[in-house]
Amino acid sequence: MTSADYNAAKNVIVANSLIVTSSKIFDVKVKSGGTNFSEGTNKIPVNVSKIQAVIEMSMVGILNTITLSTTHQKLITNATSGFKNH
């Protein structure tokens, strides 16, 4: 990677990364396990990352775009019951 890679916006879709099966309305919350991404002594603050859910099936709910942090945040709110994505 070059410094340009860190200074440009990147969109990454991770297919089949989350499967939810529920009989009730649900929320999906996310948070970081630390304040930085790190490799050795190199660190990048997690708050440079924005996360957005992408749904490939017929789920109804509120999709939020969040800035990653160490605090739980709702990525998906009031999702319909019985949804399964895989």
Side-chain angles (χ1 to χ4, degrees):
M1 297 192 91
T2 67
S3 60
D5 292 321
Y6 292 101
N7 291 319
K10 299 286 183 197
N11 294 319
V12 178
I13 296 175
V14 181
N16 302 319
S17 58
L18 178 66
I19 298 172
V20 177
T21 304
S22 178
S23 60
K24 299 179 181 181
I25 301 294
F26 63 93
D27 297 333
V28 175
K29 297 178 185 177
V30 297
K31 75 172 190 168
S32 170
T35 57
N36 295 301
F37 298 111
S38 61
E39 180 178 351
T41 59
N42 301 316
K43 294 183 182 196
I44 300 173
V46 296
N47 67 0
V48 300
S49 296
K50 292 198 183 292
I51 300 174
Q52 180 179 23
V54 177
I55 304 301
E56 296 180 359
M57 298 183 75
S58 60
M59 184 193 79
V60 176
I62 300 167
L63 306 180
N64 303 300
T65 300
I66 63 161
T67 299
L68 189 59
S69 75
T70 57
T71 304
H72 279 109
Q73 298 177 76
K74 290 182 182 178
L75 182 62
I76 303 172
T77 306
N78 294 325
T80 54
S81 59
F83 171 73
K84 187 173 185 180
N85 180 10
H86 55 144

